[in-house]
Amino acid sequence: MKIKASKMDVIWSYVGTIFSLSSGFILLPFILIFLNNDQVGMWYIFLAINGLVNLFDFGFNSTFARNIAYAWSGATEVSKMGAKFSHSSKVNYRLLKVLITTSRTLYGFISLIAFLFVSTIGTLYMLHISKDLVGYDHIVAWTIFCISLFLNLYMGYFAALLRGVGAISIINRATIFSKLSQLLISIILLALNFNLVALAIGFLTNGLVLRYLCRYGFYNYKKMNEHLAAIQEPVTKSDIKKSIRIVSYNAFRDGLVALSNYLTTQASSIIASLFFTLAQTGVYSISLQFANAVSNISASMIFAYHPTLQSAYVNKDSDTERNVISKGLSVLYALSLIGTIAVIVVAFPVLHIIKPDTVFSTPIFIGLSIYTFLWQQQSCSAAYISNTNRVPYMPAFVVSSICGVLLTLIITKFMNIGIWSLIIGPLIVQGLYNNWKWTHVVMQRLNTTLLVTLKNGYYYWIKTLIGKLKTNS
């Protein structure tokens, strides 16, 4: 079945992404009001550890989504380097069933390993950085948070299944409802002085609601449950082992890419906690949260069309690939600039009013915004390249991320430039190669240039806007 993202999919993608990110900002004033600066820093370290735990997925999420898309597009079988197709585009429900069973088995094992990691090494780290905090709230909160991490990872494969079949709107509707539940629970419990425990319970609620709705949505998508139940041939251990061998080949590479992305974007909060105070770490992490939010919202369109790009690659439809990428990248550039200005002009002054002793640096935020924008562009390019079931960017991503962390540690240790050390190190390393290389590869494959791509994108949007204005006049 050919996958094509509808306008509603794109709309829901924007609504879901914006709400998912804005919910954090809606919650932020309550966090600043009810928690002290050290507790704020502690919560953002919790979130950084959540990003670390997600690495235990080790690329299986994107790999399963890609292979599910192949099965949904009529693949007869998947392989380490792609998939084999017949002339029919009919959904291969037998292959789909094998991949679903494999993902369930694999994620059960992964989530258990992750839980053992956070409950031991993670706990020791948490106790070390929180040794000056008074009371036991942070310990109770950490315990609830660990349980949340296990459940979120175990049930996380349903989002991959939905992305694979192109059901983007279901994921985003589930995200909206789950974030609403998190906001409601967190704000009520913060008002009741549950402090960090309030945020941990809200985080747990968000995970449970999201995973339940994704599971329900998948099995009810285009009578999925009925089609899968109609497959009488059972999935054997041999099927699962074979499937694991196939998906592991690229999942390992995707996992290394995910690790490099973590080191490139989120590990700085953990590094900050080792060299700066919890209060300083909190202010830096909030600035990084805003920069990432602008970056993610700006890239929502191109990622919403990712199933369409996967299907276009399968069907060798280069025109669709060029059109989607031109529209997506043009939006990425425009919204990144608008969003950065909006944060500086609106968000930071409002937060200063709410908590006057919290001071945000505009130059630091601009530096973070430039860095996250360049990283998002290279990520969009890498995501497109991954449609070929090959990840040639993996070695460069891994080497650059490690070098970025090492340079950051060196600059932080031996140069007295404060928080700037967390930006300059990775910005230099990524700028030398990854920031430009993989976008260049995509443009070469599509036989175009970045300038032409952006020009075509803006031409499309201006033409569409003028058409809408004429229609409404």
Side-chain angles (χ1 to χ4, degrees), residues 280-355:
Q280 288 174 311
T281 300
V283 172
Y284 169 77
S285 297
I286 292 172
S287 298
L288 181 61
Q289 180 185 5
F290 274 104
N292 282 329
V294 171
S295 174
N296 290 332
I297 291 172
S298 302
S300 290
M301 180 178 179
I302 199 164
F303 282 114
Y305 274 111
H306 196 63
T308 301
L309 286 171
Q310 289 176 320
S311 184
Y313 168 75
V314 169
N315 292 283
K316 297 180 173 58
D317 186 355
S318 296
D319 287 338
T320 295
E321 291 179 308
R322 274 190 289 269
N323 290 337
V324 169
I325 289 174
S326 65
K327 290 187 286 186
L329 283 181
S330 60
V331 169
L332 173 65
Y333 275 68
L335 290 187
S336 293
L337 178 61
I338 295 170
T340 299
I341 294 172
V343 171
I344 294 171
V345 174
V346 179
F348 283 170
V350 170
L351 291 179
H352 185 66
I353 293 172
I354 293 172
K355 202 173 183 70

Side-chain angles (χ1 to χ4, degrees), residues 108-409:
F109 175 75
I110 290 172
S111 57
L112 181 60
I113 297 298
F115 180 75
L116 292 174
F117 171 79
V118 295
S119 61
T120 52
I121 297 175
T123 298
L124 292 175
Y125 166 75
M126 188 278 298
L127 292 174
H128 169 70
I129 63 172
S130 64
K131 58 183 180 294
D132 295 329
L133 294 183
V134 179
Y136 299 96
D137 280 356
H138 59 288
I139 296 176
V140 176
W142 173 249
T143 302
I144 297 170
F145 197 76
C146 287
I147 296 171
S148 304
L149 295 177
F150 168 77
L151 294 174
N152 290 350
L153 189 56
Y154 177 59
M155 298 293 289
Y157 66 92
F158 278 106
L161 301 182
L162 286 167
R163 283 198 305 275
V165 299
I168 303 299
S169 61
I170 294 177
I171 299 175
N172 287 291
R173 286 197 296 267
T175 298
I176 291 171
F177 284 114
S178 64
K179 288 297 181 181
L180 278 172
S181 65
Q182 180 181 12
L183 280 174
L184 183 63
I185 296 296
S186 298
I187 292 172
I188 291 174
L189 293 180
L190 279 171
L192 294 174
N193 292 321
F194 276 70
N195 299 323
L196 280 173
V197 176
L199 299 177
I201 293 175
F203 184 81
L204 173 62
T205 304
N206 168 67
L208 291 175
V209 173
L210 177 63
R211 270 65 188 184
Y212 171 79
L213 292 177
C214 283
R215 183 183 187 280
Y216 178 85
F218 177 74
Y219 283 118
N220 287 276
Y221 181 71
K222 296 188 176 181
K223 300 182 179 179
M224 183 73 70
N225 210 15
E226 295 180 20
H227 289 298
L228 293 174
I231 305 298
Q232 297 299 317
E233 185 180 354
V235 177
T236 65
K237 290 183 179 179
S238 177
D239 291 327
I240 295 174
K241 289 180 180 178
K242 179 182 177 181
S243 183
I244 289 177
R245 283 196 299 270
I246 291 171
V247 298
S248 296
Y249 180 80
N250 273 324
F252 174 73
R253 290 157 176 76
D254 285 338
L256 289 176
V257 171
L259 173 61
S260 71
N261 287 341
Y262 178 83
L263 293 175
T264 302
T265 59
Q266 297 184 57
S268 56
S269 291
I270 293 180
I271 295 174
S273 71
L274 298 175
F275 289 94
F276 304 104
T277 66
L278 283 175
Q280 288 174 311
T281 300
V283 172
Y284 169 77
S285 297
I286 292 172
S287 298
L288 181 61
Q289 180 185 5
F290 274 104
N292 282 329
V294 171
S295 174
N296 290 332
I297 291 172
S298 302
S300 290
M301 180 178 179
I302 199 164
F303 282 114
Y305 274 111
H306 196 63
T308 301
L309 286 171
Q310 289 176 320
S311 184
Y313 168 75
V314 169
N315 292 283
K316 297 180 173 58
D317 186 355
S318 296
D319 287 338
T320 295
E321 291 179 308
R322 274 190 289 269
N323 290 337
V324 169
I325 289 174
S326 65
K327 290 187 286 186
L329 283 181
S330 60
V331 169
L332 173 65
Y333 275 68
L335 290 187
S336 293
L337 178 61
I338 295 170
T340 299
I341 294 172
V343 171
I344 294 171
V345 174
V346 179
F348 283 170
V350 170
L351 291 179
H352 185 66
I353 293 172
I354 293 172
K355 202 173 183 70
D357 61 338
T358 301
V359 180
F360 295 95
S361 168
T362 297
I364 288 285
F365 178 70
I366 291 174
L368 281 171
S369 297
I370 293 171
Y371 176 70
T372 54
F373 163 74
L374 293 172
W375 174 82
Q376 190 66 263
Q377 179 177 255
Q378 78 182 45
S379 296
C380 290
S381 300
Y384 168 76
I385 295 170
S386 72
N387 291 334
T388 64
N389 227 14
R390 294 174 176 83
V391 282
Y393 47 83
M394 182 269 290
F397 272 37
V398 173
V399 172
S400 295
S401 64
I402 294 173
C403 290
V405 169
L406 291 176
L407 184 57
T408 298
L409 292 172

Side-chain angles (χ1 to χ4, degrees), residues 8-62:
M8 286 306 299
D9 285 327
V10 177
I11 291 172
W12 274 111
S13 180
Y14 266 108
V15 172
T17 301
I18 291 172
F19 192 85
S20 178
L21 295 170
S22 65
S23 65
F25 298 119
I26 294 171
L27 187 58
L28 182 57
F30 296 94
I31 292 175
L32 294 176
I33 290 170
F34 290 104
L35 301 185
N36 61 44
N37 290 336
D38 286 341
Q39 289 173 325
V40 171
M42 195 70 196
W43 175 244
Y44 276 95
I45 292 170
F46 276 23
L47 295 180
I49 292 174
N50 174 55
L52 179 62
V53 168
N54 286 334
L55 294 179
F56 281 86
D57 169 276
F58 217 73
F60 284 107
N61 197 285
S62 57

Side-chain angles (χ1 to χ4, degrees), residues 69-81:
Y70 289 149
W72 194 252
S73 298
T76 55
E77 63 176 297
V78 293
S79 65
K80 293 179 179 180
M81 301 304 294

